[in-house]
Every structure is written in C-alpha cells, then in structure tokens.
Amino acid sequence: MKHTLTLAAWNFRLARRSLLALWGIFAAQQTALILWRAAQANTTGLGLASHYYVMMQIFAYLGFYLLTALAVGLATHNSRRARSGYTWATLPGTPGQKFAAKAITVAAAELIFTAWQFVWYIVEFYPVTALEVYRARQLHGAALPRASLYEQLVANNLFSRLLPRRPLQLVILLGILALSAALLTALDTVRGWRKLPVFAVGLLCAWQCFYLGTVEQHPEWMFISASRNVTMALAAVLAVLTVWWAVRSIRRGETA
C-alpha cells in the first residue's frame, strides 16, 4: 500500500501544474460571469445561488470535474519528467499497483476540485453581495434584504447534492467517486478502439449513479423494478471487467 501511495503522489506531482492552470481558468470564468450578472439592474437582490444557476455553473462544474480527471492522465504522459522516462507506467510496481495509484490520483484531484469549488463559492459570496448592495442603493436608495451565506449554500442545487446529510448519501457519493476514478483511469490506460467500450461502460455507470442519487431518500425504490436491478447488476459487472481489462493492458504493455 505504501508503494501505491508513493506512485500516486508522484502522479500528482506530474499533474499539479496542469491542474492548477485548469482550476484557475475555472475560477476566473465563474467569477467573471457571476459578477457580470450581479451587476445587471434587473438581477439585483437575487443572490449568488441564482447567479450560479442561471450562468450554468453547475454544468461548468461538471465539465471541469471531468477535465480534472482527464488532465491527470494527460499530464503524466506529456510532462517533461514523463518524456525523460519517469512516468506512472515506468516506475516500479505491479500492474495492479500502477492502476490503483493512478485511480487514487484521479480521486484525490476530483476531491480537491470539489473542495475548491466549495471554497470559491464562499469567496464569491462577499463581492457579489457587496455589488448587489451597491446596485440596490443606486436604483432604490436603500439596500434590499439579503440572504445569508448559509441560505445561499442551501439554495445552490449543486451543494445540496455534494454535502452529504445522511449516511446513505455519503456512501453513494464515495462510491461514485471511487467508480469514476477507476473508470476514468481505465479510459486513460487503454488505447485505440479499446477506449470505446470503456467509454460506453462509463456512460452506463453514470446513468445508474444518477438514478441512485435521485432515489437516495427512498432506498426501497431501488429494488421495485426488475429491469432496473438487472441494469445495475450489469453495470457493476462491466465496471469490474473494465478495470481488469485495463490492468491486463498495463501488464501487456498496451497502454496509451
């Protein structure tokens, strides 16, 4: 396990500059769009959660979340250290250790990005609120009643799903994190036509994870449909086979 974590740390070191640049671009576009909308006369008093939703930042978050995972693989292949011969594939270790290390790196990057969005949302609350107060005084001569930071967090439909409030929700979120890290690592590991079935399995698993997230408050609903149960079982089996296939590709030197 120690060697696997060492490999994961090396992977993250290779990817850190790409990730920092990616997360910086994400924060910059979000701030620019949200502040622009907050400055409009017809949006005064709506609050940060409204600006976040209307400016489609929930979709931007999901897009950059995926790019974060893909950037880990790209950086570990294309960095100067990688070109000199030190990559996740050439460092010592078994194929299973190398795959696990890459998956841990992806999962860690996804967690850090999620935390970064949470922190950045809190940071944005203060300039957005100040701008709205300023615009309200210009237009109405007095500041409108404003929502608190807690209210803006609760009203944000992204954070209502990312902040677990029940044990089952926490289990599902951790399961989705582990599954996405494993399948994205598999997608980065295999090459050529092999990427197509891995991508298809990823879409199937994402569909099932979305379903689990929507029925989390009513777990009994997960087992009322026979076809749904078969699909979920099929997705689980295919995910395991995909990981096995990726590890086998590492062993045979068929990696991307």
Side-chain angles (χ1 to χ4, degrees):
M1 186 62 185
K2 182 179 179 180
H3 183 69
T4 301
L5 294 176
T6 300
L7 289 175
W10 179 259
N11 291 337
F12 201 91
R13 184 179 180 185
L14 291 175
R16 70 187 188 281
R17 292 183 180 177
S18 298
L19 292 177
L20 289 175
L22 184 66
W23 297 341
I25 293 171
F26 167 76
Q29 66 83 29
Q30 184 172 110
T31 302
L33 291 175
I34 287 178
L35 287 178
W36 175 82
R37 186 170 189 266
Q40 306 304 305
N42 61 339
T43 62
T44 302
L46 293 181
L48 177 58
S50 171
H51 303 322
Y52 185 94
Y53 180 79
V54 173
M55 299 313 295
M56 302 184 72
Q57 288 307 297
I58 186 169
F59 299 108
Y61 168 83
L62 293 172
F64 276 88
Y65 185 88
L66 178 61
L67 287 175
T68 289
L70 297 177
V72 171
L74 186 64
T76 53
H77 283 303
N78 297 332
S79 69
R80 282 181 292 181
R81 285 189 181 86
R83 286 199 297 269
S84 68
Y86 295 99
T87 70
W88 69 278
T90 58
L91 289 171
T94 66
Q97 286 177 324
K98 293 176 181 179
F99 183 90
K102 194 73 169 289
I104 290 172
T105 307
V106 172
E110 290 175 335
L111 277 176
I112 294 172
F113 177 65
T114 301
W116 169 241
Q117 171 64 115
F118 182 73
V119 171
W120 194 246
Y121 187 85
I122 295 173
V123 170
E124 289 172 331
F125 171 78
Y126 297 100
V128 168
T129 301
L131 183 57
E132 289 194 331
V133 168
Y134 173 74
R135 292 290 290 162
R137 285 177 176 164
Q138 274 189 326
L139 297 170
H140 310 293
L144 300 174
R146 57 178 183 167
S148 67
L149 174 59
Y150 175 76
E151 290 170 327
Q152 293 297 326
L153 284 171
V154 172
N156 187 299
N157 54 357
L158 173 64
F159 293 122
S160 66
R161 291 170 172 79
L162 291 181
L163 296 176
R165 288 164 289 180
R166 293 168 294 275
L168 181 57
Q169 189 180 20
L170 176 61
V171 171
I172 290 175
L173 287 175
L174 291 177
I176 291 173
L177 173 69
L179 181 61
S180 67
L183 291 181
L184 285 166
T185 299
L187 184 64
D188 177 64
T189 298
V190 300
R191 67 181 180 183
W193 64 268
R194 297 175 181 84
K195 289 185 179 294
L196 293 177
V198 174
F199 183 74
V201 171
L203 289 179
L204 177 62
C205 290
W207 176 35
Q208 298 310 307
C209 288
F210 177 78
Y211 173 74
L212 289 176
T214 57
V215 302
E216 173 267 327
Q217 293 189 56
H218 306 280
E220 67 277 5
W221 292 0
M222 300 179 189
F223 307 103
I224 60 176
S225 172
S227 60
R228 174 69 66 177
N229 294 339
V230 171
T231 304
M232 292 175 61
L234 177 63
V237 171
L238 288 176
V240 172
L241 291 176
T242 299
V243 171
W244 170 81
W245 192 18
V247 173
R248 181 174 173 269
S249 295
I250 298 174
R251 180 180 294 112
R252 299 181 65 178
E254 298 172 348
T255 56

